[in-house]
Amino acid sequence: MQKLKPDYQKVLDDLLKDIKKHSNSFLGYPVSKDFNFEDLSEFLNYPMNNLGDPFVGSTYQVGSRNQETEVIAFFADLFRAPIDNFWGYVTNGGSEGNLYGLYLARELHPKAMVYYSEATHYSVHKNLHLLGLQSIVIKTQDNGEIDYDDLRLNIGMNRHLPAIIMANIGTTMTEARDDIYQIRSILKNLAIQKFYIHADAALSGVYSAFIKPRPAFDFADGADSIAISGHKFLGSPMPCGVVIVKRSNKDRIARTISYIGSMDTTITGSRNGHTPLFLWYSIKTLGIEGLKSRAMQSLMVAEYATNKLMAAGIDAWRNPHAITVNFPSPPLSICQKWQLASEDSLAHIICMPNVSTDQIDQFVLDMKEANREITMHSAQLQTY
Ligand SMILES: *Cc1c(COP(=O)(O)O)cnc(C)c1O
């Protein structure tokens, strides 16, 4: 066993202190922190690697393939994928899942035009560049949802091209959901024969399945693939995600690689063998009921936060069934203390399952105080 010199041990101790401190006032990013994977700590002593296709064995056997395929089957079922025609893998995060969805789409329709809204995650633009796909940015409505009229207009102008549509199931800034059912009807009305719809459900995918009425976001609604992040709503010590696609589409890109004794069907070579285990542990300990109550808890806290902020005179709002609460950007000190992301003078808190009403109360107090200072300051300026 290696042992650290005391100086370096101190570096680690300080880092841990720092991380604990910053974990407590953390409302701006969609990351759950209420997990405990101590049961799995022994696995950190092994070089787990699920390289290749999770559904095809490999000569490298220090891994968690069986758990990975269970995770895939769980989410395929939750997202109503065709029972006999789904496939997927545990990714390094939502971005990789989106890249994979677009990659399959391009293999099916190499000359396609990609449509995505201006509220789409920043990684998508880069992914399109990597894949050499042409694209058109579609306007959004005020709430961050795609503007269906603008989508219809743009697809209509490019009717000669197959259409690939990136639908947002919870945008990064306002958690708006694009309606896949409406997107499908636009394609149908324009008689577009060749199309592919990928759902970027990084943030809201997991709990959208528990909302009534169920948002139109999954395979039964017309999606061809769905990507989620594992470290967001579920929670994981390392970034991870899940992508679910139709197996028949994946089969078009499959290649057997004798070196690993598996199929090279994923983006990277080596793949994390620990993250599938974390996700497996979460779904086994929580089950559908546990996930559902996590979702309801988050939605309840989001409603509580919206009401509290409004009562404090702050212009707060949220999309229907969203756990993101939006408001005008507060002073920098608040953004720093609570680690809020801010864009175009709009900021938000995200009521992840670990966020308590006590934390919201604290936050609202800070917001009130800041508002009071601003009002006093401008009153002083006026009398001056
Ligand atoms: C977080 C997020 C992503 C990226 O996911 P990562 O897991 O960070 O790679 C993509 N799209 C949306 C809407 C997101 O919220």
Side-chain angles (χ1 to χ4, degrees), residues 30 92-96 98 121 123 168 170-172 200 202-203 229 231-232 240:
N92 290 307
S95 309
E96 186 187 339
N98 289 340
H121 190 261
S123 62
N168 287 310
T171 58
T172 308
D200 175 2
L203 172 62
S229 295
H231 55 285
K232 289 187 175 175
C240 61

